[in-house]
Amino acid sequence: AGTYLEGLGHTGTGGEDPRFFNGFTPEEVAPEDGPGEAGVEHLKPIFTRGILIDMVTVNGGPMEAGQEITVANIEKALDWFGVNEPGNGDAVVFHTGWGRHWIADNDTYLSGAPGIGLEVAEWLIEREVALVATDAWTVGVQPVNEGPERDFPVSLALTQKHGILLHDNVESERLIDAEISEFAYIFAPMPIRGATGSPGVPLAVY
């Protein structure tokens, strides 16, 4: 219902042997008698290089629900703004224009979202980024365009398998207005015992 960080216990697989990040079972993530192994209280404050990927400029206008960001799109955006590609520990922020529907048209906002697919997820994993953010309610494209029939393959690939944090509903328009592509990405998660995520707005300092 707002800007929030998805912690390491936010997304896991189902089935007969459900697992979360680092192989934790649901009982280990959220035990009945106290905080779990993947609670957001275990996360430290984040202070790292941030990169804005302006998909609105690359796309020629705001993206639509189900429209997928490709590696070619990212490379074009980086070249366009003269920014080096992301590397170890970086935070990557995708500006898709989907945030324009927030509050103004919630039915449209929640009907789907532009975002990345597994191609870009693997590209980000290879570059060992620490965090991926978006101006939509999910980093992964919705509805899902590829892969097994599951709702959030991108979240599973990034967070469950590789421990990459996700930050949703980020107001990236402010960076666009300021014409900023690189900045310091700063966020301190609220240490809520056993929580799977944290509310709060990241800071971009430049």
Side-chain angles (χ1 to χ4, degrees):
T3 304
Y4 64 96
L5 180 81
E6 296 186 18
L8 297 177
H10 190 85
T11 305
T13 56
E16 296 181 359
D17 184 27
R19 297 285 172 170
F20 288 79
F21 171 73
N22 212 25
F24 292 132
T25 65
E27 292 74 23
E28 290 171 320
V29 168
E32 296 181 0
D33 57 350
E37 297 286 353
V40 75
E41 76 274 17
H42 298 302
L43 295 179
K44 303 300 181 184
I46 300 165
F47 189 109
T48 193
R49 175 192 183 225
I51 302 172
L52 180 69
I53 306 295
D54 180 6
M55 284 303 306
V56 173
T57 296
V58 170
N59 189 57
M63 300 182 73
E64 300 300 330
Q67 191 171 355
E68 185 173 327
I69 299 167
T70 66
V71 171
N73 295 151
I74 296 174
E75 291 173 341
K76 182 178 179 180
L78 294 173
D79 182 64
W80 193 313
F81 294 101
V83 179
N84 293 330
E85 71 175 34
N88 183 273
D90 286 346
V92 179
V93 181
F94 289 100
H95 175 69
T96 70
W98 196 246
R100 71 190 187 282
H101 299 304
W102 172 253
I103 300 299
D105 184 358
N106 286 337
D107 288 341
T108 296
Y109 187 78
L110 296 172
S111 67
I116 67 174
L118 291 175
E119 176 203 27
V120 171
E122 292 299 327
W123 188 86
L124 294 167
I125 290 164
E126 289 174 3
R127 281 149 185 80
E128 300 181 335
V129 303
L131 182 147
V132 183
T134 182
D135 60 347
W137 57 270
T138 175
V139 167
V141 61
Q142 287 290 329
V144 176
N145 296 330
E146 60 181 337
E149 293 185 3
R150 55 189 186 192
D151 292 334
F152 297 98
V154 167
S155 296
L156 291 172
L158 293 176
T159 303
Q160 187 221 15
K161 293 182 179 178
H162 294 278
I164 296 173
L165 302 174
L166 306 180
H167 219 149
D168 301 325
N169 298 321
V170 172
E171 193 175 3
S172 51
E173 290 87 352
R174 298 184 183 189
L175 291 172
I176 296 297
D177 292 342
E179 299 182 351
I180 296 297
S181 298
E182 289 185 274
F183 47 92
Y185 191 100
I186 305 171
F187 182 72
M190 296 178 65
I192 307 170
R193 281 185 21 158
T196 65
S198 170
V201 179
L203 299 178
V205 177
Y206 48 88

